[in-house]
Amino acid sequence: MADAFSAIPAAVLRNLSDKLYEKRKNAALEVEGIVKQLTAAGDHDKITGVINLLTHEYTYSPQANHRKGGLIGLAAATVGLSAEAAQHLEQILPPVINSFSDQDSRVRYYACEALYNIAKVVRGEFIFHFNKIFDALCKLSADSDPNVQSAAHLLDRLVKASVLSIRHCYRDIEEFIPLLRERMNVLNPYVRQFLVGWITVLDSVPDIDMLGFLPDFLDGLFNMLSDSSLEIRQQADSALSEFLQEIKNSPSVDYGRMAEILVQRAAAPDEFTRWTAITWINEFVKLGGDHLVPYYADILGAILPCIADKEEKIRVVARETNEELRAIQADPAEGFDVGAILSIARRQLSSEHEATRIESLYWISTLLNRHRQEVLSFLNDIFDTLLKSLSDPSDQVVLLVLEVHAAIAKDQHNFEQLLVFLVHKFQTDHTLLERRGALIIRRLCVLLNSERVYRELSKILEREADLEFASTMVQALNLILLTSSELSDLRDVLKLSLVNAAGKDFFLSLYSSWSHSSMAIISLCLLAQAYQHASAVIQSLTEEDINVRFLVQLDKLIHLLETPTFAYLRLQLLEPGRYILLLKALYGLLMLLPQQSAAFKILRTRLKTVPSYSFNKEQPDHISEDGGMNEENGIDFASWLQRFQRTQQQHHLHSKSQALSRNIPISAKEVPKPEEVRGPAVPVVEINRPPSRSSRKGPGQLHL
């Protein structure tokens, strides 16, 4: 350093730290001339001494004017070195870059000016120190002093121009990317503009593969899409658009890492961010194909909520992406995770949006069709959710859930399990039975064969321990059987119960469970044209049987007798001599009704239209005089009547037990008021009508 003091006159050193800029500037010119002479002489040791002097005695001085003089002196020394400057950059740059963090804004300003002049001299050589310069510029871009910001902006432009003019800066790009990634989370708008600008510049350099490093800073770019500054949003969008175009033209892209980022951004609160993310996902699904197989579940998890987005343009892209994804025939052997897809679909079944729930069900259905065994292996994970979805407020969702259930129930074991769980669901959720019971049963009958469904339900209810629920459920099934157009074939089978084996077998398969409700048994007998047995059942009823609930059910039956379902029965009344037992059964029902009830008047009016016939006339040979039940079509009706009576006796004992436990006096007979037995008209059961929002019962509901 002594050589440096001897090389630079004392007056020059004194003026270099003067408070007046002009004196410092003139002193710097003197330094430039001295260094130029030393360079010409090849005395690099003295040059090193001069740089050390300027660094330690000036740029690191506690005096601000000394630091200013040191910076201008280093810039002047670089100019003096000219072409030889590159070999001294390791000494020159650190004190200049260090001054960017100086507390004095004027010192920071002079640091910008000094580096600007140094860069003009060394041009591309300083790029080997790019990371340090970039980091310093990034900090200066958010400087609180506008003059420093302005100087930093000019310096930034010069550095960018230098980068674009050289071809060998890519060597340090891998060290630069972590620095860029770290800065991408900064919220300062000036820093964000600085970063987007540099990303764009570096991407335009042919020898730098910024696309390969895109996963490292993609999330930061997406984060800028929601910036409060329109200019920053536009710059970020422009950069993303350019990268997306490059992805389309690139043969090798790391879809996986970027897909993870896009999935997160597709759920962003900001609309523009969501739309951009879902647009990228759409392109990835089209371009990535098999490369995205391990990420299908995550992608689906991002798409399904967007299908119900409040913005139409997002919904449109999400639906298109969903269809594209579903059209890809992926195989579990190739990494396609059926369980993960099912997990996403199951989770989205709880979405508040109907469109999302519908698409989730379509996915489950698609997986069942393509990978049935794999789906069934996860049945325990999704079955409960599918059952809960039967209570969904949307009719369309319920119908789709039933289709999924039906697809699962193609196997006998799953079929039985479905109906067992369904009955249990009705038992624990009476509202579901009342509001959706008809819709669910009717649809399952269409999808799974109505006779098979009714036989299995009957078998389950026959062994049901909860007698009260069994009675309610049987009444519901009976009402559906008598009113649903989908079950007309079943009714036709039952009408032949006394004629052929198929009718007989089906009739007897229902009888035991139908015995939980006396009115259901009577309805079944009338439908099967087992009029003698119907009359016997009616006459077997005791005082305990005839209560308000019974009369309400009877009221409904009387109304049903006036519907097309029982048109054949009404026509049989034209031949009273041939169908005397039908008359006897109907008169038996009439005798049970209160005379002031509407049902009594309806049935009495109907019976008045029957041609006159005397019960005293000779009865047909196959009917015993005491109304006894001879076997018909091999059915031992006497035995079945005893079974019915035993079941009803169990109900009587249960009712008494319940009354005792509640300390309610047991009355053998409750006499209802006429208005209590005026049941509602037969419910119209429609599948496609939307649910009512009023308090009235909607489609597919049961009036129990």
Side-chain angles (χ1 to χ4, degrees), residues 382-546:
I382 63 172
F383 196 78
D384 188 55
T385 302
L386 289 172
L387 278 180
K388 290 179 180 177
S389 295
L390 292 173
S391 301
D392 196 280
S394 165
D395 275 5
Q396 188 174 357
V397 170
V398 173
L399 291 174
L400 285 172
V401 171
L402 291 171
E403 288 186 13
V404 171
H405 275 302
I408 294 172
K410 288 180 180 178
D411 306 322
Q412 181 61 27
H413 171 73
N414 290 325
F415 172 77
E416 294 173 359
Q417 184 183 42
L418 168 62
L419 294 184
V420 167
F421 277 94
L422 180 61
V423 169
H424 178 70
K425 183 71 174 173
F426 284 146
Q427 185 175 8
T428 55
D429 187 356
H430 289 282
T431 302
L432 176 64
L433 177 59
E434 183 178 347
R435 290 173 56 92
R436 295 286 192 192
L439 176 64
I440 293 170
I441 298 300
R442 290 172 61 177
R443 190 59 185 163
L444 285 179
C445 284
V446 171
L447 296 169
L448 293 173
N449 181 286
S450 54
E451 183 173 341
R452 186 182 177 205
V453 170
Y454 261 73
R455 282 178 179 272
E456 188 62 32
L457 287 172
S458 178
K459 189 189 303 181
I460 295 168
L461 292 171
E462 185 178 351
R463 56 179 183 264
E464 175 59 52
D466 186 343
L467 297 178
E468 190 172 341
F469 166 72
S471 176
T472 301
M473 189 70 196
V474 164
Q475 290 168 22
L477 291 173
N478 184 62
L479 183 60
I480 296 168
L481 175 64
L482 296 177
T483 59
S484 299
S485 58
E486 295 89 344
L487 302 186
S488 60
D489 290 344
L490 276 191
R491 293 195 291 271
D492 290 340
V493 171
L494 284 170
K495 287 175 186 176
L496 301 176
S497 298
L498 304 184
V499 177
N500 61 31
K504 167 190 171 182
D505 186 54
F506 185 48
F507 173 80
L508 295 180
S509 72
L510 299 182
Y511 195 101
S512 292
S513 58
W514 255 239
S515 295
H516 284 294
S517 168
S518 54
M519 197 49 59
I521 278 291
I522 294 171
S523 302
L524 183 66
C525 291
L526 292 178
L527 192 59
Q529 303 187 67
Y531 301 135
Q532 183 175 359
H533 188 61
S535 179
V537 169
I538 293 170
Q539 291 182 328
S540 73
L541 298 175
T542 66
E543 293 183 6
E544 291 176 298
D545 295 312
I546 306 171

Side-chain angles (χ1 to χ4, degrees), residues 5 92 153 156 182 187 203 264 320 325 343 350 372 446 450 468 479 659 678 681 694:
F5 277 108
I92 295 171
H153 181 65
D156 182 53
E182 180 184 345
L187 299 179
D203 187 48
Q264 297 296 323
E320 178 185 330
L325 190 63
S343 179
S350 301
R372 178 175 179 81
V446 171
S450 54
E468 190 172 341
L479 183 60
R678 290 174 187 158
S694 68

